[in-house]
Amino acid sequence: MLISLSLLASLAHAAEPRPVLLTAERVWTGEGEAHMGWAVLVAQGRIQAVGPAAGK
């Protein structure tokens, strides 16, 4: 039973979506002008961070 629980726990963890970094030519945050060279980090179904992409 312990092995079964361990296997189920590892499968549940594997089912979590990985964070996604979206990069685009422009990112509009809803305020003012669109930002050039920015990226959006999405994790756990929510936007976690928005800002200049690394190296930009």
Side-chain angles (χ1 to χ4, degrees):
M1 178 143 183
L2 183 59
I3 293 172
S4 296
L5 289 175
S6 176
L7 179 60
L8 286 174
S10 67
L11 288 175
H13 180 69
E16 292 180 23
R18 292 183 180 184
V20 176
L21 183 64
L22 303 171
T23 57
E25 185 175 327
R26 294 184 187 104
V27 173
W28 184 61
T29 62
E31 298 177 2
E33 298 291 320
H35 300 280
M36 301 288 290
W38 275 31
V40 179
L41 178 63
V42 179
Q44 300 171 349
R46 294 179 168 246
I47 295 173
Q48 300 294 322
V50 178
K56 298 271 179 174

